[in-house]
Amino acid sequence: MKLATITEKTFSAHETLRHHLPLLAKAKQVFEAGDEVRFFKAPGRVNMIGEHTDYNMCPVLPCAVDKEIVFCVRQGEPGVIKLTNVEDEFEDISFSLLEDIKPYQQGHWGNYIKAGAKGIIGRCGGEKLRGFQAVISSTLPAAVGMSSSAALVVCSAQVLHDLNDLGLAKEELADICATAERFVGTAGGGMDQAACLLGRKDTFLKIDFNPLRVQRVKAPPGAEIVLCDSLARAEKSGWARGAYNRRVVECRLAMGLFKRYLAEHGESPSPMEYIGDIREDILGKGCAERVEGFLRWLRPEYDLAALAVALGGEEDAVSRDYLRINEREYLSPPADGFKPQQRFRHVYREWSRVEQAVLSLAAGDWRSFGKLMDESQESMAECYEISTPELDELCRQARQAGAFGARLTGAGFGGCVVALVARGASGEFIARLRDSFYAGEDVAGKVFVCRPSAGAGEIVLETSSS
Ligand code: NG1
């Protein structure tokens, strides 16, 4: 569609684009009136339950939501990507797909765009790819646990994919984007990219990994999702990255120790790599009993020397085999010791909560669902140590204000709480939280209702006058 034919009226009439009016004005400044443009969106996600389970190949239960990043795209010079953000605080970026793509400094927003491009190049090669120029706009808050980072990665990959007619399945694109986002430095799992790409209106997604599988579950018609910002920030490109990567390593260590435990108890080795492999079809009957025995066998904390003894190797070998984050980095052992027992306990039980949550949804039992959310929060605070005093307090006040359940959502260490509230009661719920947690201040943009929405893809504008 020619840019000149797109009016403010067209934008305002569209259910998504009407939230991105500054995008049209900016595109008209940056592009020529005669340019053919296309629009793409990538939504954020809210994870309802199943936290820090994805990189352990255990299931999650998120939904894509109605807050998103939108790209207005025109074809660019071959092999070059250029981006302008509607927000002036984000500088313009430009890079070539034909050279080795090096990251900007840590925390730069352009790294997520580069990650998406790198993912596509890694899968399809970069030589023949058409480049693009885009102006981008977002209604997705950053660093609150709604995966704005994954939305950028996915949108960049989706645009390259569609402009070049690459014909990949959404599931494959999700896997590519999940691997690609590690370019930014977190050893993350695959939940965010899968939720962003595979979302559907009024639907929760039960996502299993290795291989990626999605079961679509109807979102509770009798309940609403309310997101509440704890106002504490956890920049995953900053300090929270180390705290996140530590959990990934501790789970890896827990699996190494689990295999040692089984060997010490006379079991022959089985092909297990992740906590999600602790299943009857791999391990045989009696998984839960073995897990209970293992939890009793583990010590609460291990330093590197104790790990070497428990794993039966040298300290150097433990570092090499377990502490690696990416090609460049290894985790430094934490001063308070590794805590595989607590981490394992959270993940294994959280997995079971996800399975139960799906059953509660099918039964229309939002109260049970809410109770599972509360248990998840307790486990994240006590065992996984990813909650904060603000998040704990906000969850408590959300329950007092009438939520069926409330828990932090996303990586933790700050960001948002997700609360499940009876349909029609969100107004009263928000007012009560405003008066308590937010001490009567304006909560616009801090507490809001989210709706499960469609996943990433092209937005087609019908006609210039519609
Ligand atoms: P967010 O909230 O987007 O930082 C992170 C990981 C997920 C998942 C959750 C915890 C990335 C890109 N995302 O999400 O894979 O592990 O934490 O459940 O690392």
Side-chain angles (χ1 to χ4, degrees):
M1 172 175 279
K2 282 214 184 338
L3 182 58
T5 63
I6 306 172
T7 61
E8 238 180 65
K9 200 170 148 219
T10 325
F11 244 60
S12 309
H14 190 278
E15 63 164 337
T16 301
L17 294 178
R18 71 193 163 93
H19 302 292
H20 296 268
L21 274 177
L23 176 63
L24 183 61
K26 191 77 173 187
K28 292 204 172 193
Q29 275 171 26
V30 175
F31 297 158
E32 306 289 326
D35 285 342
E36 286 288 332
V37 293
R38 292 166 70 176
F39 295 91
F40 294 85
K41 76 156 195 179
R45 63 101 185 92
V46 171
N47 190 21
M48 298 308 299
I49 196 160
E51 221 61 84
H52 287 258
T53 45
D54 59 351
Y55 52 81
N56 291 297
M57 303 302 148
C58 299
V60 290
L61 191 66
C63 56
V65 293
D66 54 345
K67 300 253 178 251
E68 65 282 308
I69 287 172
V70 175
F71 282 33
C72 172
V73 179
R74 74 164 183 193
Q75 202 158 307
E77 293 163 46
V80 175
I81 291 187
K82 282 189 182 167
L83 254 79
T84 301
N85 200 307
V86 162
E87 304 291 337
D88 290 334
E89 68 189 274
F90 298 103
E91 62 175 0
D92 290 1
I93 61 166
S94 169
F95 60 94
S96 166
L97 300 171
L98 305 171
E99 289 157 18
D100 183 26
I101 300 179
K102 300 245 163 47
Y104 298 108
Q105 77 274 16
Q106 198 173 311
H108 193 292
W109 74 283
N111 284 336
Y112 298 104
I113 307 295
K114 286 189 166 179
K118 259 180 104 92
I120 292 290
I121 292 171
R123 174 67 173 72
C124 307
E127 317 77 45
K128 297 208 181 96
L129 286 182
R130 287 187 200 127
F132 66 85
Q133 186 174 7
V135 178
I136 87 167
S137 149
S138 175
T139 51
L140 195 51
V144 299
M146 293 181 76
S147 286
S148 55
S149 59
L152 280 173
V153 176
V154 166
C155 217
S156 146
Q158 177 88 55
V159 170
L160 268 180
H161 172 272
D162 284 26
L163 291 188
N164 290 284
D165 298 321
L166 297 176
L168 301 173
K170 292 248 181 213
E171 285 79 358
E172 199 173 349
L173 203 51
D175 270 339
I176 290 171
C177 290
T179 309
E181 194 161 336
R182 299 196 188 114
F183 174 70
V184 187
T186 30
M191 162 171 66
D192 305 345
Q193 303 77 8
C196 178
L197 275 152
L198 299 163
R200 214 175 260 177
K201 197 165 186 261
D202 298 330
T203 305
F204 288 173
L205 311 165
K206 185 199 176 213
I207 306 176
D208 283 278
F209 301 94
N210 204 21
L212 189 72
R213 283 153 293 150
V214 177
Q215 179 191 344
R216 295 199 162 84
V217 191
K218 197 169 170 354
E224 287 183 280
I225 300 166
V226 185
L227 270 210
C228 321
D229 191 344
S230 74
L231 309 179
R233 286 289 164 269
E235 301 285 351
K236 272 257 297 315
S237 51
W239 68 269
R241 185 171 152 270
Y244 181 94
N245 288 341
R246 170 182 172 175
R247 271 66 182 175
V248 176
V249 164
E250 288 174 316
C251 289
R252 216 182 273 156
L253 286 167
M255 274 315 280
L257 291 164
F258 186 57
K259 287 196 236 176
R260 289 287 296 179
Y261 167 81
L262 293 183
E264 273 189 23
H265 289 76
E267 294 210 33
S268 47
S270 50
M272 281 185 309
E273 196 178 340
Y274 302 103
I275 299 178
D277 294 334
I278 304 179
R279 304 187 316 242
E280 278 194 4
D281 58 327
I282 295 183
L283 209 55
K285 283 207 182 311
C287 290
E289 291 74 10
R290 287 183 184 87
V291 163
E292 288 312 315
F294 171 57
L295 286 169
R296 285 193 298 275
W297 177 84
L298 281 172
R299 290 163 46 167
E301 278 118 30
Y302 292 80
D303 60 15
L304 205 53
L307 278 176
V309 173
L311 290 163
E314 299 293 320
E315 289 185 27
D316 280 355
V318 173
S319 297
R320 190 191 58 230
D321 295 345
Y322 292 94
L323 307 194
R324 187 167 181 270
I325 303 300
N326 56 36
E327 306 91 63
R328 304 180 297 277
E329 287 172 275
Y330 283 79
L331 187 88
S332 311
D336 56 340
F338 291 102
K339 302 180 182 178
Q341 186 191 48
Q342 279 170 243
R343 311 309 188 221
F344 182 95
R345 181 178 282 127
H346 165 75
V347 174
Y348 192 72
R349 296 189 179 160
E350 185 79 350
W351 174 7
S352 139
R353 281 189 283 271
V354 172
E355 305 290 355
Q356 291 174 55
V358 172
L359 298 178
S360 305
L361 279 181
D365 186 354
W366 333 136
R367 282 192 192 282
S368 301
F369 192 96
K371 196 162 164 283
L372 292 164
M373 291 172 79
D374 294 346
E375 286 169 16
S376 168
Q377 173 62 24
E378 194 185 333
S379 174
M380 289 190 287
E382 301 298 322
C383 294
Y384 228 65
E385 297 179 296
I386 55 173
S387 191
T388 62
E390 295 88 352
L391 285 163
D392 288 337
E393 182 56 20
L394 187 49
C395 286
R396 202 182 60 76
Q397 294 194 16
R399 285 174 210 128
Q400 257 177 9
F404 292 131
R407 55 185 288 285
L408 74 84
T409 182
F413 315 108
C416 279
V417 158
V418 55
L420 196 68
V421 175
R423 186 159 296 278
S426 59
E428 169 71 16
F429 171 80
I430 293 172
R432 288 183 67 178
L433 269 192
R434 183 194 56 220
D435 293 343
S436 57
F437 188 81
Y438 300 95
E441 284 184 13
D442 181 15
V443 291
K446 295 180 192 148
V447 186
F448 46 90
V449 174
C450 281
R451 288 172 194 84
S453 299
E458 183 160 8
I459 295 175
V460 182
L461 275 174
E462 291 305 330
T463 68
S464 60
S465 57
S466 62

